[in-house]
Amino acid sequence: MDLIQFERVSKRYVIGQRMNAREAVAQATSRLLRRGASPSSELWSIKDVSFSVRDGEALGIVGRNGAGKSTILKILAGITAPTSGSSRTRGRVAALLEVGTGFHPELTGRENIYLNGAILGMSRRDITLRFAQIVDFSGVDRFLDTPVKRYSSGMYLRLAFAVAAHLEPDVLVVDEILAVGDAEFQRKCIGRMHEAEAEGRTLVFVSHDLDSLTKICQRSLWLEGGEIRDSGPTPTIVRDYLNSGLAPAERGHGLAITSGPITVAAVRVRPDSTVAGGADAALMFGDQLRVEIEFDVSAETPGLDLAVMVTTGSGVRVLDELLSEQSITRFTPGSYRVEVLIPPLLNAGDYSIGLWFGTPHEEFLAEPAAAMFSVHGGDPTRPDRIVAAKLPFAVHRLASINVVD
Ligand SMILES: Nc1ncnc2c1ncn2[C@@H]1O[C@H](COP(=O)(O)OP(=O)(O)OP(=O)(O)O)[C@@H](O)[C@H]1O
Ligand SMILES: [Mg+2]
């Protein structure tokens, strides 16, 4: 039985729709005066998207920033309506979209747990049965009787996830929870989603963490520019998505991804021994690799930071390095080239370079496949290891044994 049915769904946004009440009134008035003049600019966030999810199935959604992933989840959760087409869900849907969606700020943590349970159609008794588990998972027990408006964003998030994941929804919809929270909490979330999947709940999961997505979701959709580019078994989709990297990095072709104040102009990977700007050199097993990222910053952005990721062709994240962990750099508006050296440890295989730009409060760009590269050579008899570090061994003889015939 299909619990989710999305039929030819499209969603149009009017650009500049994120405005306050006064601006909205002003715009409505001027539109009235101009008598039906159409708004200046529209954007189709998703176009003609159809899919269905069976009872007990876990569906993943991948796609670059702005591809329309969150829009699909918001429509699924009934937070926004499609412009055309229809979205039907059966059963209780619990959605974890933006931090705290569905929480009432004036109510305490305890009251919000009951409120959310009631919204999901659960009886007081059912909620009480689950209450201890939710509180335990969230770790906010000391603040249960504090209004959630006084919670830190981390506490808010932990409680929201605990509620969404434990209140036995038929359909659990989760958007990028893994981007926030500490490593321990992320592990708990992934664990809980595995359990939900094993319990036979229907899941829809959007994430840039392709490794977790592969572990949890059997099937995935790949969105591009608001349309479904492909769908199928997650490992296949993840591989094709990663391999669609905007440019083969070895050749250093230009690309331009703009998001917020950032425009990424080029991503290159070359053996460290070649001179910058040198010929296309193949990357060989045992080379130290130099990753070069060229980008422009168009506005003063306090706290701007970047991360460089390396992911295998099957979606396992091997490296995820944050600039601010190594050096404090202030990016005033201008053009930059950042270089990162990767020691010679990657085994032969296909990899993609991911980029992240943001501040502690805001994410501008999260692109798991900005470019791809291949490492050649290596030991063909042992292909199934990602890292070949050539670690030093020490052998100590502790005693000798006399062998008697
Ligand atoms: N409320 C809104 N008003 C105007 N445009 C919007 C609104 N919400 C989304 N959009 C636009 O719709 C498009 C799809 O956005 P959406 O948030 O669904 O993408 P996404 O795939 O979730 O991206 P990300 O990976 O960055 O989370 C984007 O171009 C976005 O700017
Ligand atoms: Mg999103």
Side-chain angles (χ1 to χ4, degrees):
M1 185 180 62
D2 291 338
L3 283 198
I4 296 174
Q5 229 172 359
F6 232 62
E7 259 174 47
R8 311 204 59 179
V9 175
S10 300
K11 174 75 186 177
R12 181 185 55 213
Y13 282 113
V14 177
I15 306 231
Q17 223 172 28
R18 286 176 228 216
M19 50 192 162
N20 63 33
R22 192 151 50 102
E23 290 164 339
V25 170
Q27 199 196 56
T29 314
S30 74
R31 216 182 288 162
L32 269 180
L33 292 177
R34 281 184 283 128
R35 288 231 243 180
S38 64
S40 49
S41 161
E42 310 174 334
L43 176 149
W44 290 90
S45 171
I46 56 170
K47 279 173 291 197
D48 210 14
V49 170
S50 302
F51 65 90
S52 56
V53 186
R54 284 193 317 279
D55 192 4
E57 196 182 12
L59 177 79
I61 304 182
V62 299
R64 303 201 151 80
N65 292 125
K69 305 179 296 293
S70 298
T71 304
I72 290 185
L73 298 195
K74 282 181 198 158
I75 292 173
L76 270 181
I79 290 170
T80 187
T83 309
S84 66
S86 77
S87 155
R88 259 179 255 128
T89 51
R90 275 185 229 222
R92 301 188 294 225
V93 181
L96 197 69
L97 304 179
E98 280 131 23
V99 172
T101 314
F103 271 24
H104 194 302
E106 300 294 336
L107 298 180
T108 65
R110 182 189 305 277
E111 289 163 338
N112 268 298
I113 295 176
Y114 278 95
L115 175 70
N116 270 266
I119 291 170
L120 283 178
M122 295 184 66
S123 71
R124 230 187 138 71
R125 197 177 149 271
D126 289 339
I127 303 168
T128 305
L129 278 176
R130 287 266 160 172
F131 195 82
Q133 249 177 304
I134 294 172
V135 174
D136 185 47
F137 189 97
S138 70
V140 301
D141 45 331
R142 281 171 50 224
F143 306 97
L144 262 187
D145 295 304
T146 305
V148 298
K149 68 177 178 194
R150 298 213 207 109
Y151 282 20
S152 70
S153 56
M155 289 161 62
Y156 222 94
L157 174 81
R158 292 205 302 272
L159 186 62
F161 185 84
V163 168
H166 287 87
L167 283 181
E168 311 202 320
D170 300 302
V171 179
L172 178 61
V173 174
V174 177
D175 195 354
E176 256 327 335
I177 179 91
L178 308 164
V180 233
D182 57 30
E184 177 55 30
F185 178 66
Q186 291 178 7
R187 249 195 305 280
K188 268 164 80 172
C189 292
I190 291 288
R192 180 58 204 146
M193 283 168 64
H194 270 297
E195 277 168 41
E197 199 251 330
E199 286 163 8
R201 284 188 218 298
T202 305
L203 278 175
V204 181
F205 180 30
V206 166
S207 184
H208 290 294
D209 178 352
L210 302 175
D211 197 17
S212 301
L213 200 93
T214 307
K215 286 183 187 138
I216 295 171
C217 306
Q218 306 92 330
R219 194 163 66 87
S220 288
L221 299 182
W222 173 7
L223 281 187
E224 202 169 77
E227 292 174 278
I228 294 183
R229 169 152 170 189
D230 201 1
S231 68
T234 305
T236 313
I237 294 293
V238 163
R239 194 194 59 220
D240 293 350
Y241 172 54
L242 286 174
N243 289 343
S244 76
L246 299 176
E250 285 168 48
R251 264 158 261 135
H253 286 158
L255 75 162
I257 327 172
T258 301
S259 193
I262 306 299
T263 298
V264 178
V267 180
R268 283 185 289 264
V269 184
R270 57 168 104 245
D272 187 38
S273 51
T274 59
V275 278
D280 306 347
L283 307 175
M284 298 305 294
F285 175 66
D287 281 345
Q288 168 154 285
L289 306 182
R290 180 197 295 271
V291 181
E292 298 174 350
I293 301 128
E294 288 176 5
F295 60 95
D296 301 332
V297 178
S298 64
E300 190 69 45
T301 311
L304 183 63
D305 201 356
L306 73 109
V308 176
M309 283 88 77
V310 172
T311 308
T312 66
S314 59
V316 177
R317 189 166 296 183
V318 186
L319 298 172
D320 186 345
E321 299 286 319
L322 195 63
L323 174 67
S324 61
E325 283 169 355
Q326 301 304 324
S327 92
I328 303 297
T329 309
R330 199 168 142 255
F331 292 106
T332 51
S335 296
Y336 294 87
R337 179 165 76 218
V338 165
E339 299 177 1
V340 194
L341 290 180
I342 303 177
L345 47 76
L346 294 179
N347 199 2
D350 297 331
Y351 298 89
S352 65
I353 294 283
L355 291 180
W356 177 92
F357 282 88
T359 71
H361 314 289
E362 215 176 344
E363 173 181 283
F364 297 123
L365 189 146
E367 172 52 77
M372 54 180 285
F373 65 95
S374 304
V375 175
H376 307 282
D379 179 351
T381 63
R382 300 170 63 202
D384 51 353
R385 52 180 175 162
I386 299 167
V387 168
K390 299 184 181 152
L391 301 176
F393 282 85
V395 179
H396 304 282
R397 180 176 188 158
L398 299 179
S400 51
I401 295 171
N402 292 322
V403 179
V404 186
D405 288 318

